[in-house]
Amino acid sequence: MKPVSDILYVVSDEAKNRVRKEMEGAGGQRPRGARSKDWVVIPWKGVTCRFHLISGIDEALAQLVEHYYSFVVVDDRAASARKKTPTWLAITFMERVHYSADPDRRYPLSRIIAVLEKGKDLADRSFALGRMRIAGFVAEPFSGALFEQMDDLYDPDPGKTAICLSGGGVEGFLFELGVLKAINAHLQ
């Protein structure tokens, strides 16, 4: 992973304080400053993981547009334990991200991790999330499992990219220069 990774941590309102206490128990600290009230920093094996705690899917989607996050973690534990028909936060989030009409609100599914609670419906939830192509899920996030999952998903060497240019004399050369200039302008 990168030396500093920003991670969007989506959690229900009911579980936000419990998750913050779990993070602090794992060595997490709140950074200083007025803008950092929802951030928790956890150092792990030379990497500084900055978790941005967000409650609510709409707010999380807005944050994905405004800020780059290395990973998104959706904590689905006890989000609807008191309801007869559970609303699965992770599945709802995946549907909203994956099928968004706005390309700015899309996020690579290979960078989304769900935190699921051990129990009778763990198999159902993990199967449903697997069908949606989620990157992975963990049951006890701050025991090291979440960090190991993120480390496995992060690829420091994404491979090489090549560009093949055709011949064609002076006209082909000028066309290729135009294409390279357009690519350079687009990538900036």
Side-chain angles (χ1 to χ4, degrees):
M1 287 196 317
K2 297 177 183 178
V4 176
S5 290
D6 287 350
I7 299 144
L8 181 65
Y9 199 98
V10 184
V11 66
S12 66
D13 282 330
E14 303 92 36
K16 193 171 186 177
N17 289 331
R18 179 178 53 87
V19 168
R20 185 169 290 152
K21 287 180 183 175
E22 286 180 8
M23 288 179 171
E24 289 171 359
Q29 298 175 351
R30 291 187 191 180
R32 296 181 190 164
R35 301 173 82 191
S36 61
K37 79 172 191 164
D38 289 330
W39 289 82
V40 177
V41 177
I42 301 176
W44 183 75
K45 291 187 181 179
V47 178
T48 301
C49 297
R50 297 184 336 159
F51 289 91
H52 189 186
L53 275 85
I54 297 290
S55 54
I57 294 174
D58 292 328
E59 188 178 347
L61 292 174
Q63 283 296 316
L64 284 177
V65 172
E66 293 176 16
H67 189 75
Y68 173 77
Y69 292 96
S70 300
F71 294 97
V72 174
V73 178
V74 184
D75 196 325
D76 209 3
R77 297 177 294 169
S80 59
R82 291 172 279 193
K83 297 179 184 175
K84 288 186 178 182
T85 49
T87 55
W88 296 349
L89 186 66
I91 291 176
T92 307
F93 181 80
M94 291 286 290
E95 289 172 347
R96 295 274 305 273
V97 166
H98 186 61
Y99 298 112
S100 175
D102 184 4
D104 289 337
R105 294 195 185 272
R106 290 189 192 142
Y107 188 80
L109 302 181
S110 61
R111 298 245 181 212
I112 301 175
I113 302 170
V115 179
L116 303 177
E117 190 164 14
K118 293 179 182 178
K120 62 181 181 177
D121 61 348
L122 176 65
D124 294 335
R125 288 184 187 212
S126 59
F127 179 74
L129 289 168
R131 288 183 64 197
M132 299 177 96
R133 307 268 191 244
I134 195 167
F137 58 90
V138 295
E140 297 174 4
F142 301 108
S143 65
L146 178 62
F147 300 106
E148 292 292 333
Q149 185 84 21
M150 288 187 296
D151 197 34
D152 290 344
L153 293 173
Y154 180 72
D155 185 13
D157 184 19
K160 295 181 180 179
T161 304
I163 185 166
C164 298
L165 304 173
S166 63
V170 174
E171 186 177 334
F173 174 72
L174 294 174
F175 175 76
E176 291 165 1
L177 282 178
V179 169
L180 290 174
K181 189 173 180 178
I183 289 172
N184 188 34
H186 178 72
L187 293 177
Q188 287 178 355

